[in-house]
Amino acid sequence: MNYPSRDQIAQYIIQSAQARGIDPRIALTVAKGEGLNANPAEGWQSNYVKNGRRETSFGPYQLLVGGGLGDKFISQTGSHPRDPSTV
């Protein structure tokens, strides 16, 4: 899969925040504190491990699959948050 780069995602976050009247510095800071620093080749999956299991959160804003917003995202879009087209 061909994932967008961190710089491409950061630019998208900045542009999207500005278009919605959100401070882009805040939007980018949140993404960096969530999943923007994760490995893009792994769908920006969280590196957090609990009880020997890696958390199933994906994307710059870490949508949790298996009991979180990732499930809602899947049901509403039919796509998975680890899919590069959804970043």
Side-chain angles (χ1 to χ4, degrees):
M1 292 188 164
N2 189 17
Y3 291 94
S5 71
R6 282 182 184 83
D7 288 339
Q8 290 171 315
I9 293 171
Q11 285 303 311
Y12 178 79
I13 290 169
I14 290 166
Q15 292 169 357
S16 296
Q18 290 171 331
R20 292 166 177 80
I22 298 167
D23 184 335
R25 293 172 299 170
I26 294 172
L28 198 53
T29 297
V30 171
K32 287 179 178 178
E34 290 286 330
L36 193 55
N37 293 320
N39 185 347
E42 296 177 340
W44 303 97
Q45 184 178 4
S46 169
N47 289 318
Y48 181 73
V49 176
K50 183 176 180 180
N51 298 326
R53 184 169 175 244
R54 189 171 176 190
E55 185 178 74
T56 54
S57 295
F58 301 91
Y61 291 103
Q62 294 295 280
L63 299 181
L64 176 66
V65 176
L69 288 176
D71 300 324
K72 187 172 185 177
F73 177 81
I74 292 168
S75 71
Q76 288 182 350
T77 67
S79 296
H80 196 283
R82 87 173 127 230
D83 182 328
S85 70
T86 68
V87 171

